[in-house]
Amino acid sequence: MNKKRGSMMSANNEATSSERVVSPLKLAHFVLRTSKYEEMIAWYQNVLGATPAFKNEILTFLSYDDEHHRVALIHIPDLREQEDGHAGFHHAAFTYATLRDLMDTYARLRDMGIMPIFPINHGPTTSIYYADPDGNQIELQVDNYARIEDATAFFYSETFAENPIGVEFDPEVLLEKLNAGENEETLKIRPDIGKRGLEAVKLR
């Protein structure tokens, strides 16, 4: 009797375990294949301030924090260039602690000749998009709200319904205002410019 009951409890536990949803702890890394191997390695080192945790002629792991790698590059010769109009990877985003950190990074990359393709205040974030040597799009951003609840509330606002894309800005003007001492929180407020749709997105 006890043995049968124990068997039933075990089966029930297994059913519970198989139905349990466990989310990942974090997003660990993304991997890109490239024929522009050394150029891509240099680009991600410059943009992210990353260093190789491992590198040989085939594979490079790049990291900028306590993760063993955030970006991996695989060297595959003779790949075709990417084409527009295909489903797939759109962009990866990296968050900075402050607007000052984001804009100092913009200035550093600008001085190296790495220019953004789409600076935009989405509302929840102030974002600057770049394209790597293979055309993969990378977003550098800062959160505009201190609390995730406030950022989420913005998604359900009339402002977001009218304009889910955001408002473009001139990074030079923003940097000038920041250097003049204007408040970061004020500079991160998204202005109201009316209705906008996907046609306003200057990304692939």
Side-chain angles (χ1 to χ4, degrees):
M1 185 80 168
N2 288 342
K3 189 177 287 187
K4 182 178 180 182
R5 182 180 170 188
S7 176
M8 289 174 62
M9 288 178 64
S10 176
N12 287 338
N13 286 341
E14 286 178 9
T16 302
S17 176
S18 67
E19 293 169 359
R20 188 167 68 102
V21 177
V22 181
S23 296
L25 177 65
K26 59 185 175 181
L27 176 63
H29 62 262
F30 66 93
V31 182
L32 299 171
R33 53 184 181 270
T34 182
S35 297
K36 301 174 183 176
Y37 190 53
E38 294 297 335
E39 188 178 356
M40 287 280 279
I41 292 169
W43 195 87
Y44 279 95
Q45 284 188 261
N46 287 328
V47 170
L48 300 180
T51 56
F54 173 83
K55 179 185 176 185
N56 63 18
E57 68 278 4
I58 298 172
L59 184 64
T60 293
F61 294 149
L62 294 164
S63 184
Y64 54 82
D65 59 6
D66 57 356
E67 186 73 12
H68 44 72
H69 67 289
R70 289 297 183 185
V71 181
L73 300 169
I74 304 173
H75 187 196
I76 303 176
D78 304 320
L79 292 173
R80 297 193 305 273
E81 293 290 323
Q82 295 190 47
E83 298 178 9
D84 292 343
H86 289 267
F89 177 83
H90 188 264
H91 74 273
F94 298 85
T95 300
Y96 287 80
T98 65
L99 183 62
R100 168 57 67 185
D101 288 347
L102 176 67
M103 296 314 297
D104 283 353
T105 299
Y106 158 76
R108 178 178 63 83
L109 296 178
R110 175 203 62 197
D111 293 347
M112 298 175 66
I114 299 175
M115 299 301 294
I117 57 173
F118 191 45
I120 187 162
N121 186 325
H122 287 300
T125 65
T126 297
S127 302
I128 305 178
Y129 289 83
Y130 293 84
D132 74 16
D134 276 337
N136 302 300
Q137 296 167 156
I138 300 299
E139 178 184 6
L140 306 184
Q141 67 175 36
V142 62
D143 287 322
N144 290 345
Y145 294 98
R147 302 190 323 139
I148 192 170
E149 294 85 356
D150 295 330
T152 302
F154 182 87
F155 291 135
Y156 292 93
S157 68
E158 291 184 9
T159 301
F160 186 77
E162 182 180 43
N163 176 7
I165 307 304
V167 179
E168 289 182 66
F169 64 90
D170 185 333
E172 288 296 323
V173 173
L174 182 57
L175 183 61
E176 184 178 338
K177 290 180 178 180
L178 190 62
N179 288 340
E182 292 195 34
N183 181 269
E184 284 200 14
E185 298 308 311
T186 301
L187 291 174
K188 290 192 294 185
I189 296 172
R190 194 183 92 169
D192 185 4
I193 62 166
K195 188 176 179 62
R196 295 190 89 192
L198 283 175
E199 73 285 345
V201 178
K202 298 176 181 177
L203 297 170
R204 298 178 62 199

